Amino acid sequence: MKPAINNASARQRAGGPPPVPSGGGDWENRPGSPDVIEVERQIAELIDRSTRDLRAAWRELHRTGPPQGLSRDLLIRALAHRLQEQTHGGTSRAQQRRLQTLAREFEKGSGSSDPGSMLRTGTTLVRQWRRHTHTVLVREDGFEYEGQQYRSLTMIAERITGAHWSGPRFFGLTKRASALIGAEAGR
């Protein structure tokens, strides 16, 4: 067995996955900790494994066979990614939802890459409507309004107004809404 390759350019020439810089994380997953060192060792060993062994490792990690036609290089990279996810944590549910929404918008051709529309967990949205103040809490798995969970702001906006509204527009999160508010203020 070859020794682990720690040089990023040497890994690239060897056809291995590029190193992933560790960012923050909890104390046990810092560079040099036993978990991180073990994962780096496992990733380095992927390069030396046969394609058959890589497919078996895929089955073990994903509980299903690898996609047909997946190249050896992509198989190694996907396995390395999965090993890193198990150690450092994967994508949060909120991030997965945001990525799915962006993908749907992109497919429709209406995608906006406005990073300002991304709401962080814990954010409170406040909206005045007919002399009543409405407060919504952004949660990791949706939104909370008056003690109830909702999947979307649109559902909350409809409940408040009794009519169909775009939730992000109702709460002033779109460029068009902020332009309208600015125009009304100038009157």
Side-chain angles (χ1 to χ4, degrees):
M1 180 169 93
K2 291 188 220 172
I5 302 172
N6 291 324
N7 180 332
S9 60
R11 280 189 192 186
Q12 290 292 5
R13 284 192 305 272
V20 175
S22 65
D26 51 84
W27 185 251
E28 293 89 39
N29 291 331
R30 301 246 179 228
S33 74
D35 287 345
V36 173
I37 292 170
E38 175 61 19
V39 168
E40 287 178 358
R41 184 191 60 75
Q42 290 174 355
I43 290 171
E45 288 177 355
L46 290 174
I47 296 166
D48 296 327
R49 294 175 75 175
S50 70
T51 304
R52 186 177 186 169
D53 287 344
L54 292 171
R55 290 182 188 283
W58 179 285
R59 279 187 211 87
E60 186 178 317
L61 284 171
H62 295 281
R63 307 285 187 245
T64 184
Q68 290 291 324
L70 193 65
S71 71
R72 177 182 167 76
D73 180 55
L74 285 177
L75 192 58
I76 290 170
R77 289 172 187 265
L79 288 169
H81 179 263
R82 184 72 174 128
L83 289 168
Q84 289 168 338
E85 266 188 337
Q86 287 178 335
T87 301
H88 301 289
T91 308
S92 72
R93 293 169 85 192
Q95 289 172 327
Q96 289 174 355
R97 260 196 329 275
R98 178 68 178 149
L99 289 171
Q100 289 171 347
T101 300
L102 288 172
R104 281 192 302 269
E105 288 177 4
F106 179 75
E107 288 171 358
K108 290 181 196 173
S110 65
S112 143
S113 61
D114 180 16
S117 63
M118 179 71 173
L119 296 173
R120 293 184 184 263
T121 301
T123 300
T124 302
L125 304 173
V126 180
R127 173 67 151 89
Q128 286 283 123
W129 179 257
R130 297 194 176 161
R131 297 187 193 140
H132 188 266
T133 302
H134 300 274
T135 306
V136 174
L137 176 65
V138 179
R139 302 184 60 104
E140 185 171 325
D141 55 346
F143 303 92
E144 183 178 321
Y145 173 68
E146 293 184 339
Q148 292 185 345
Q149 288 288 116
Y150 293 88
R151 284 190 353 245
S152 73
L153 286 173
T154 299
M155 294 170 71
I156 297 170
E158 287 179 7
R159 178 171 171 210
I160 292 170
T161 63
H164 178 72
W165 269 77
S166 160
R169 185 174 298 160
F170 180 79
F171 286 98
L173 301 175
T174 63
K175 288 180 183 176
R176 182 172 173 189
S178 57
L180 288 173
I181 291 168
E184 288 176 8
R187 288 185 191 177

